[in-house]
Each structure stands twice: as C-alpha cells, then as structure tokens.
Amino acid sequence: VQLQASGGGLVQPGGSLRLSCAASGSIFSIGTMSWYRQVPANSRELVASITSGASTNYADSVKGRFTISRDSAKNTVHLQMNSLKAEDTAVYYCYADIYQTWGDHSIYWGRGTEVTVSS
C-alpha cells in the first residue's frame, strides 16, 4: 500500500492550493483519512481529518479556510486550502487507516508535500 500526495507549491498570502492524496495497492477499505503538517523543530500536527462516514474535524487554526473531502471510489483525499497565510507554510503529510482485509488495518503515511506561503 502506498499513499501518493501531490499539489504542494509556492503561493502568495491569500491564495489557494489543493492537495490530493491517492492510496494504491491491496486495499479492502479505508477508515479515517487525514492531513497533518510539520515545520522544522515542531511536532507533526493534525490539520484535518475525515472518517469513512464523511465526518470531518479541523484544527482551530484552519477552520473556515480549509476543506477536507474524500472520493472513496478512488481512495483519494483532498485538502482545499483557501486564504492561505504565512503560518500555513509547512510540509503536509497525508494519513490513512487502511484495511487490507476485514479487521486487519494499519496506518499509512504519504511522503510530504511542501507548501510555502510567501510574497
């Protein structure tokens, strides 16, 4: 199983970016999918998560600006980031709780994708 993230880049303050993460491999089903971010010297923090039932949760710092969504048919999770601020600059990682068979699940992380918000 692999998670492939894409969509990072350089954007000006106030701009938007859309991150995507696709899971591939031997997958029976996927539970919660999430985005985390990390800046140097800090621990990884949860940005947003979405359950298999589409319930969402956001860090207070991104509420109202970021939207997480998923396409279960494509095993993909997206993060739409609007009104970006300099403090959103970080490496973003996708996370998925993946079942390869009924009852057998593991956590997978994608490689990070870098987001830089700067003028």
Side-chain angles (χ1 to χ4, degrees):
V1 174
Q2 288 187 327
L3 297 181
Q4 182 66 48
S6 61
L10 173 65
V11 64
Q12 292 187 341
S16 298
L17 279 176
R18 179 178 169 88
L19 304 183
S20 296
C21 179
S24 61
S26 178
I27 298 171
F28 174 70
S29 65
I30 303 179
T32 297
M33 303 183 82
S34 306
W35 288 95
Y36 284 74
R37 65 187 181 188
Q38 187 171 23
V39 296
N42 283 12
S43 58
R44 200 168 288 188
E45 66 169 357
L46 176 67
V47 176
S49 64
I50 184 167
T51 68
S52 57
S55 294
T56 58
N57 181 50
Y58 295 93
D60 287 343
S61 60
V62 307
K63 281 180 181 176
R65 300 188 298 121
F66 291 11
T67 303
I68 190 169
S69 62
R70 65 190 287 171
D71 183 340
S72 294
K74 296 182 179 179
N75 293 332
T76 301
V77 63
H78 305 285
L79 186 67
Q80 179 66 42
M81 305 186 294
N82 299 330
S83 303
L84 282 160
K85 305 175 181 179
E87 51 264 44
D88 295 317
T89 295
V91 178
Y92 284 71
Y93 297 88
C94 61
Y95 157 116
D97 184 9
I98 294 177
Y99 290 74
Q100 293 190 276
T101 61
W102 179 257
D104 177 19
H105 65 112
S106 299
I107 301 302
Y108 291 88
W109 291 91
R111 285 187 163 185
T113 184
E114 193 163 354
V115 172
T116 302
V117 185
S118 174
S119 55

